Amino acid sequence: MTPDRHEFHRLGSSHVLLTGATGFLGQATLEKLLSSHPETRVSVLIRPRPNQPAQRRFDGLLRKPVFRELRERLGEEELRRIAAERVTVIEGDLGEVTLPGDIDVVVHGASTVSFDPPIDEAFRTNVSGVVTLYEALRKAGADPHVVHVSTAYVAGVRKGVVPEARLDHTVDWRTELEGALATRADVERDSRRPEVLRKSVSRAQGEHRKAGPQSVVAAAEEARQEWVTDRLVDYGRARAQSLGWPDVYTFTKALGERAAEELWGERRLSIVRPAIVESSLRHPHPGWIDGYKMADPLIIAYGRGILPEFPGLPDSVVDIIPVDHVVNATLAVAAAPPERGTPAYFHVGSGSRNPLPFRGLYENVRDYFRKHPMPAGERGHIRVPQWRFPGSRQVEMMLSGSERATAMAERALLRLPASGKTREWMTAVHRQQTNLDFLRRYADLYQAYTQAEVIYDDSRTHALHRTIPPELVDEFGFDPSVIDWGHYLQEVHSPSVTELMRGFSRGRGGGSRRSAAPALPERTDIAAVFDLEGTIVASNLIESYLWARLSSLPRSQWGGELADLARSLPRYLRAERRDRGDFVRAFLRRYEGADMAQLRDLVDDTLGDALLQRVMPEAVRRIRAHRAAGHKTILITGTVDVFVRPLAGLFDEVVASRMHTRDGVLTGYLDSPPLVDEARAAWLRRHAADTGIDLDGSYAYADSYSDRPLLEAVGNPGAVNPDPSLYRHAKRKHWRIYEWGAHTRGRGDVLMDTITGTVSAR
């Protein structure tokens, strides 16, 4: 039934059930109902969250920017009074909820909007959710007009004009739903096959052995779970594409439509299919948006200079529509129900009446960033790239080549010793990898949309728009031909979606390599735990040994000692790569036969000063700051306890290796296993339980990937002059990274100086 162009329908005193009210489109719909439909009653279905019931989530909605204009016009108290009077919050989800029986209209907008979720998750929300909604309506005895919000892209991969009509596929949604929900059990079973598990364990050992056996186990299990997720995502994408849809999102939305037609098509059903929904043109205010939508990550990435090209056709239509147009169209459809048994279909987009080619989108965004470039810290501003639209094959070749080169560079850097220069290179590689991951993800997801050769007919939607009296068009209209793309993209949308990123870039203050230490809370129930080598002192176990050994030998014998150490170095390095504890045990064997009393006197008389000269000033300041704040300071090190005696005054507790002695002579063995990797974390957890320390509020500082468990045991980890593996992990986890003692050299430099005899200059 085509709407009468002389009859403008209003919702009046209808009772509207709104699902998906916390989402982007749902927020805008709720605001429009409250601001422009004063007689309408609204029920919102909201799922509770842990420690956040549905009513509290709704109260939070009223504080969001979408209600800013309404709050300012009515006042905070009046808005809350109106909401309390007109809105009923129903707590639950579509699977388990009791609905009122007097509902006149349902606007069903709840769905997952991710393009590539695991197949079972997509079906559970976009298909099962539809089924349970109609079952709940039947159970309540309600007979509303249901407005089912879908997407224009349910048409799938095709060319030409798509009519506003029932989809012409023959896919059985029940069979697909049953298969999709059963897929996880199949994939979980496959993930436990020996060949999959061995591959996960082998990779985990290669990357995480230094952090300890439990770290390897955790990484292997995490890899298995990632395998399951990736497999389920691939299942969804492959099944969708095998049937003619670009992704599992559009596939499940299409099946959701078919379920709606079968379950409610004999009553009053309208299906609204928006295209790419973006920020508002006018209402509630120009540029309003909640989070980043489909085009926005690409716009921001282009403005940051990280999209040198993109696999899109310059003449393909990018069907963007402002969110307020979609809301107005949806509510107009809601107020104009079709005849029973004749579902109505409405496309809400711009491609038919005001097409925006991909080239036009690019040119407008390019012009915007040329006028308003993104800041680049101390480097000034970012210069955006010039696209030439070389085609998807060339973009894929460029992307694949860059991915291979970056992976090779990362593997090489992970083998280098820790140093400031290595971390600079790691930063560049990390940034490049992040950019490539972004480009790969969005090229795979959006290629079908930026190469589309399809137009969605909107004759029925336009006819509905023409029923609006001229004096109400500004408030309730949804004709896309009024959109000036240059104005919208350059003066409304782009400023809105880049506002947050610009603030972040300004806040970084130029992106200095040195991370300023955060203010410390004054508490007595938290600890500050420090590693020694590379964190507090710019030295290592080998250098400590040489200080002691060379000081006890005539200068004429130094060459032989250094030569012997050089010959043993490959064995020590292999042990270090394999396990930090193996290295400590192997190296401390060199102390066999040393006199403990003489060694202690040597440290007190001579070597203590040498150690103190290697202490990094930033570390001392940080330790003292923690003590001033009332924190318990703890030193944990694999170094022999006698060597850290000069530093004991800085700490409340020192935990170090203890050498075994027999009649005052060192045997070359330890009294107990060294506190390395996971053993440090285990000691700290036990110590915290015994002394009442709050680990979530505590701090830890270390430089090696073997200290990852210790850092993960506290709420405030700090990677100090980290080695490449720890640096990569810290960047991924967004840990604070400190550059202390930048004037000193890295472990590799000290070791090489030691081996070549530079230490003799002392």
Side-chain angles (χ1 to χ4, degrees):
M1 180 180 71
T2 301
D4 185 341
R5 70 173 295 176
H6 301 296
E7 180 184 2
F8 177 54
H9 299 268
R10 299 293 297 273
L11 288 169
S13 59
S14 299
H15 182 187
V16 177
L17 171 66
L18 177 63
T19 71
T22 59
F24 175 48
L25 188 56
Q27 290 180 46
T29 304
L30 177 61
E31 192 280 339
K32 189 71 174 185
L33 286 169
L34 292 181
S35 64
S36 300
H37 296 265
E39 299 176 8
T40 303
R41 291 185 298 127
V42 184
S43 289
V44 291
L45 178 60
I46 298 179
R47 180 187 296 119
R49 290 178 176 172
N51 301 318
Q52 193 176 23
Q55 184 63 51
R56 187 181 301 172
R57 291 191 68 191
F58 175 76
D59 293 341
L61 278 181
L62 298 180
R63 296 191 294 270
K64 298 194 73 170
V66 67
F67 287 99
R68 187 187 71 194
E69 302 293 323
L70 196 56
R71 276 197 309 271
E72 292 177 354
R73 175 158 57 89
L74 298 177
E76 182 84 24
E77 291 187 7
E78 180 63 10
L79 173 59
R80 293 198 172 280
R81 186 195 66 78
I82 291 174
E85 182 179 279
R86 294 179 52 197
V87 179
T88 300
V89 177
I90 303 174
E91 182 168 286
D93 58 30
L94 293 175
E96 44 185 69
V97 67
T98 299
L99 299 178
D102 64 341
I103 301 172
D104 300 302
V105 175
V106 174
V107 177
H108 178 49
S111 73
T112 179
V113 294
S114 172
F115 285 171
D116 61 343
I119 186 171
D120 59 324
E121 293 180 11
F123 268 84
R124 189 170 289 110
T125 301
N126 291 345
V127 183
S128 290
V130 172
V131 174
T132 54
L133 169 66
Y134 297 117
E135 289 176 347
L137 289 173
R138 289 181 184 277
K139 186 176 180 180
D143 186 29
H145 169 210
V146 175
V147 179
H148 182 98
V149 181
S150 183
T151 172
Y153 295 96
V154 291
V157 179
R158 63 184 65 221
K159 296 182 179 181
V161 177
V162 176
E164 294 174 297
R166 188 177 190 265
L167 299 176
D168 59 2
H169 69 82
T170 58
V171 179
D172 184 344
W173 66 267
R174 289 184 173 85
T175 300
E176 295 298 326
L177 174 61
E178 181 181 0
L181 296 182
T183 302
R184 182 171 292 273
D186 295 338
V187 174
E188 285 281 357
R189 183 180 60 252
D190 289 345
S191 75
R192 290 167 169 81
R193 289 185 287 113
E195 55 270 30
V196 176
L197 295 176
R198 290 194 184 102
K199 186 175 181 180
S200 298
V201 171
S202 176
R203 178 180 174 184
Q205 287 177 334
E207 294 186 6
H208 307 285
R209 181 187 287 113
K210 284 186 67 174
Q214 285 303 306
S215 295
V216 171
V217 169
E221 176 60 14
E222 183 179 349
R224 186 198 66 81
Q225 293 172 355
E226 289 178 356
W227 187 90
V228 169
T229 299
D230 291 344
R231 194 86 169 131
L232 290 170
V233 169
D234 192 42
Y235 266 60
R237 184 183 297 119
R239 184 54 179 153
Q241 293 175 354
S242 73
L243 293 171
W245 282 273
D247 46 56
V248 73
Y249 167 70
T250 53
F251 177 42
T252 53
K253 292 294 283 186
L255 298 189
E257 280 194 17
R258 189 53 42 88
E261 291 161 349
E262 290 190 18
L263 298 173
W264 208 256
E266 294 302 315
R267 304 198 186 194
R268 293 170 297 167
L269 175 68
S270 296
I271 294 178
V272 174
R273 297 171 178 159
I276 301 171
V277 186
E278 290 290 354
S279 67
S280 58
L281 180 65
R282 295 192 182 99
H283 189 88
H285 53 82
W288 173 76
I289 195 168
D290 185 66
Y292 295 144
K293 306 308 164 191
M294 179 174 170
D296 308 334
L298 299 183
I299 291 174
I300 292 171
Y302 178 76
R304 293 175 58 203
I306 63 176
L307 282 187
E309 283 289 353
F310 200 78
L313 298 175
D315 55 359
S316 66
V317 173
V318 183
D319 205 324
I320 289 174
I321 190 72
V323 62
D324 46 342
H325 278 227
V326 179
V327 170
N328 284 349
T330 300
L331 295 181
V333 169
E339 295 178 0
R340 287 181 174 273
T342 58
Y345 302 84
F346 299 86
H347 286 151
V348 187
S350 59
S352 178
R353 300 185 183 276
N354 190 5
L356 172 67
F358 188 44
R359 183 192 68 257
L361 172 63
Y362 155 72
E363 290 173 348
N364 275 290
V365 171
R366 178 200 62 195
D367 291 348
Y368 168 76
F369 283 115
R370 284 180 175 177
K371 296 174 187 175
H372 310 283
M374 297 286 285
E378 296 175 354
R379 295 173 294 162
H381 293 86
I382 295 173
R383 185 175 181 179
V384 293
Q386 180 82 21
W387 283 3
R388 302 191 182 279
F389 300 95
S392 58
R393 176 175 293 183
Q394 285 76 8
V395 173
E396 173 60 30
M397 291 175 60
M398 174 199 72
L399 180 56
S400 298
S402 297
E403 288 171 336
R404 288 193 297 271
T406 302
M408 290 176 60
E410 183 180 66
R411 286 195 297 270
L413 288 172
L414 288 173
R415 294 180 174 272
L416 294 181
S419 69
K421 180 58 68 176
T422 302
R423 286 188 288 276
E424 286 183 8
W425 292 335
M426 286 292 293
T427 298
V429 169
H430 175 78
R431 183 182 301 115
Q432 176 71 0
Q433 186 63 59
T434 300
N435 294 344
L436 289 172
D437 289 346
F438 176 93
L439 181 54
R440 167 62 68 189
R441 172 175 169 76
Y442 284 95
D444 291 345
L445 284 179
Y446 289 175
Q447 190 167 157
Y449 298 89
T450 57
Q451 295 182 355
E453 299 179 62
V454 63
I455 299 296
Y456 300 104
D457 176 55
D458 66 349
S459 299
R460 179 188 297 273
T461 305
H462 187 64
L464 183 61
H465 165 80
R466 291 191 303 165
T467 66
I468 303 173
E471 65 274 15
L472 297 179
V473 165
D474 285 347
E475 184 178 2
F476 296 103
F478 42 94
D479 180 3
S481 64
V482 304
I483 303 171
D484 179 333
W485 290 118
H487 168 76
Y488 176 74
L489 291 171
Q490 296 191 46
E491 299 180 34
V492 177
H493 186 65
S494 294
S496 178
V497 299
T498 61
E499 180 180 4
L500 179 62
M501 186 60 65
R502 290 181 187 278
F504 174 74
S505 298
R506 288 190 296 267
R508 292 175 65 180
S512 172
R513 283 179 60 227
R514 291 176 178 261
S515 178
L520 298 174
E522 294 188 3
R523 294 174 57 181
T524 59
D525 64 335
I526 63 177
V529 186
F530 291 81
D531 176 40
L532 177 65
E533 300 160 348
T535 303
I536 297 175
V537 297
S539 67
N540 53 50
L541 198 64
I542 297 177
E543 188 173 5
S544 299
Y545 167 79
L546 282 173
W547 290 343
R549 184 62 174 158
L550 298 183
S551 297
S552 65
L553 289 175
R555 187 178 292 269
S556 61
Q557 296 182 22
W558 285 14
E561 179 65 29
L562 291 173
D564 181 66
L565 179 59
R567 285 191 297 271
S568 302
L569 187 61
R571 176 164 57 92
Y572 296 144
L573 291 178
R574 287 194 298 272
E576 168 75 10
R577 294 194 190 100
R578 183 174 60 250
D579 185 279
R580 178 69 175 171
D582 288 350
F583 166 69
V584 171
R585 291 185 182 93
F587 191 81
L588 291 183
R589 291 296 300 275
R590 299 184 74 93
Y591 284 91
E592 182 180 0
D595 185 277
M596 174 58 88
Q598 291 180 2
L599 182 59
R600 186 180 296 112
D601 291 342
L602 185 62
V603 170
D604 292 342
D605 296 340
T606 304
L607 300 185
D609 290 340
L611 178 66
L612 291 174
Q613 289 174 9
R614 304 294 286 170
V615 171
M616 292 181 277
E618 298 93 334
V620 175
R621 286 195 290 268
R622 193 64 176 163
I623 296 167
R624 288 174 174 167
H626 278 290
R627 297 195 82 171
H631 306 168
K632 182 176 183 179
T633 54
I634 302 173
L635 174 66
I636 299 182
T637 177
T639 300
V640 181
D641 55 357
V642 67
F643 284 111
V644 299
R645 285 158 56 90
L647 299 175
L650 285 171
F651 297 95
D652 298 304
E653 184 153 359
V654 175
V655 184
S657 297
R658 295 178 61 87
M659 292 287 289
H660 179 260
T661 62
R662 182 178 294 116
D663 299 327
V665 178
L666 299 180
T667 63
Y669 296 99
L670 292 168
D671 266 342
S672 59
L675 279 182
V676 295
D677 51 69
E678 292 170 0
R680 293 186 175 188
W683 180 92
L684 180 60
R685 284 192 287 268
R686 176 62 180 270
H687 183 73
D690 291 343
T691 59
I693 288 175
D694 174 17
L695 288 182
D696 287 339
S698 293
Y699 297 75
Y701 303 88
D703 72 311
S704 172
Y705 190 74
S706 63
D707 293 310
R708 171 187 161 183
L710 175 67
L711 294 170
E712 290 179 336
V714 300
N716 300 287
V720 179
N721 306 332
D723 64 26
S725 294
L726 180 59
Y727 183 81
R728 178 179 65 175
H729 187 72
K731 294 289 285 186
R732 289 174 176 174
K733 294 294 185 179
H734 305 289
W735 288 354
R736 189 170 293 274
I737 297 174
Y738 298 92
E739 293 278 354
W740 288 351
H743 56 283
T744 64
R745 293 163 295 167
R747 279 186 185 176
D749 299 318
V750 173
L751 181 58
M752 291 307 297
D753 284 352
T754 302
I755 297 302
T756 57
T758 305
V759 163
S760 64
R762 299 183 197 280

